[in-house]
Amino acid sequence: GLLVSVTSDTAVAAVDRFSRRLLNYEPDLDQVIADADAHPGCALLQVYAALLFIFSQNEAVIAEKARPFLVRARACPADERERAMIEIAHAWADGAFSRAKTLLDVLTMSHPADLVALKVAEFLYFQEPDATRHCAFMDGVAHANAGIPEFLAMQSFAAELTGHRHRAQDIAEEAISRQESTPWAHHALAHVFINEGDIERGGAIAARHAAGWSEHVVGIQTHLWWHAALFYLAALD
């Protein structure tokens, strides 16, 4: 539902594909690199390809792989939202986390349904932690993302990080009721139950949901199994 400056159907489809894969931890996320090369005039594809490498948190990788896409992005036609994403990616690549978050605050005031921007914001709050601001940020855009499982999972995790565990549980369970295979909601529940000391319900997460984890990227699979292992260890199993 958000505007894209390049109106090529294939470019827009590539933007949507990356968005879906990022939010759902789906495989083949690196397809965006080929998509960016195939559509060099699409600013968002250049930014998204750069983000793929910026997420690595590796300065050498960012310098070698991300920055060429950011240079190309600045030469593309872009609207206000797209220009903001370019500057956010530049700030993140530079390690200017506070500036990136401030830019995200401004962007999401006018485009609160930009879920890729919200996912970027979530990751930035890991790199420069501020749980209270993180939770307020997610709550501030909730009105535009009601009922979207991928957003509810982000909002749930933000609530858990501020210690609002019962609220986090309710939000995560709503996400799962709408889309069972929402691994970030499973992750939020794992945090809730381990911090509540509820080993039985925590251990049941894998029993209920692990069959679907193989549909997602290895990183989230292994992280969820790591959480599951904590419950097995706590139960001396």
Side-chain angles (χ1 to χ4, degrees), residues 145-229:
N145 298 288
I148 297 174
E150 297 86 351
F151 170 75
L152 291 170
M154 287 189 275
Q155 186 183 26
S156 170
F157 189 49
E160 196 285 326
L161 291 174
T162 58
H164 296 99
R165 296 187 189 118
H166 294 299
R167 178 170 181 254
Q169 180 181 340
D170 289 344
I171 297 170
E173 289 176 347
E174 180 186 351
I176 294 166
S177 73
R178 293 176 179 275
Q179 179 177 284
E180 182 177 351
S181 186
T182 305
W184 201 240
H186 307 161
H187 174 255
L189 285 180
H191 273 255
V192 168
F193 293 142
I194 201 72
N195 284 313
E196 288 287 309
D198 193 336
I199 305 307
E200 183 177 352
R201 282 201 292 178
I205 293 172
R208 287 200 308 270
H209 302 298
W213 291 348
S214 61
E215 301 169 6
H216 303 280
V217 295
V218 170
I220 194 66
Q221 289 183 52
T222 55
H223 191 62
L224 288 168
W225 276 115
W226 177 81
H227 274 287

Side-chain angles (χ1 to χ4, degrees), residues 11-237:
V12 172
V15 168
D16 287 340
R17 181 168 55 242
F18 175 83
S19 302
R20 184 188 70 248
R21 288 176 175 173
L22 177 69
L23 293 163
N24 286 289
Y25 298 89
E26 293 180 6
D28 300 321
L29 194 61
D30 60 355
Q31 172 65 38
V32 73
I33 299 169
D35 290 333
D37 286 337
H39 303 281
C42 179
L44 279 183
L45 286 176
Q46 309 312 310
V47 173
Y48 291 171
L51 288 176
L52 188 69
F53 297 110
I54 299 171
F55 273 114
S56 75
Q57 306 176 78
N58 183 307
E59 291 184 5
V61 169
I62 291 169
E64 179 184 355
K65 302 290 188 180
R67 292 198 185 277
F69 286 109
L70 293 177
V71 170
R72 190 190 287 174
R74 278 189 165 159
C76 294
D79 64 14
E80 179 186 9
R81 177 177 75 96
E82 293 164 330
R83 286 195 300 273
M85 281 301 299
I86 294 168
E87 295 311 312
I88 288 162
H90 267 283
W92 188 7
D94 292 341
F97 304 140
S98 294
R99 171 169 166 73
K101 288 189 288 188
T102 298
L103 292 169
L104 279 159
D105 285 340
V106 174
L107 170 60
T108 54
M109 284 179 64
S110 55
H111 297 91
D114 189 334
L115 288 166
V116 171
L118 302 186
K119 199 64 177 173
V120 168
E122 179 183 63
F123 204 87
L124 279 161
Y125 282 109
F126 295 161
Q127 294 198 288
E128 190 182 66
D130 185 341
T132 300
R133 182 178 171 190
H134 181 182
C135 191
F137 177 91
M138 291 300 172
D139 288 347
V141 296
H143 66 285
N145 298 288
I148 297 174
E150 297 86 351
F151 170 75
L152 291 170
M154 287 189 275
Q155 186 183 26
S156 170
F157 189 49
E160 196 285 326
L161 291 174
T162 58
H164 296 99
R165 296 187 189 118
H166 294 299
R167 178 170 181 254
Q169 180 181 340
D170 289 344
I171 297 170
E173 289 176 347
E174 180 186 351
I176 294 166
S177 73
R178 293 176 179 275
Q179 179 177 284
E180 182 177 351
S181 186
T182 305
W184 201 240
H186 307 161
H187 174 255
L189 285 180
H191 273 255
V192 168
F193 293 142
I194 201 72
N195 284 313
E196 288 287 309
D198 193 336
I199 305 307
E200 183 177 352
R201 282 201 292 178
I205 293 172
R208 287 200 308 270
H209 302 298
W213 291 348
S214 61
E215 301 169 6
H216 303 280
V217 295
V218 170
I220 194 66
Q221 289 183 52
T222 55
H223 191 62
L224 288 168
W225 276 115
W226 177 81
H227 274 287
L230 297 183
F231 291 110
Y232 292 133
L233 286 167
L236 301 180
D237 183 351

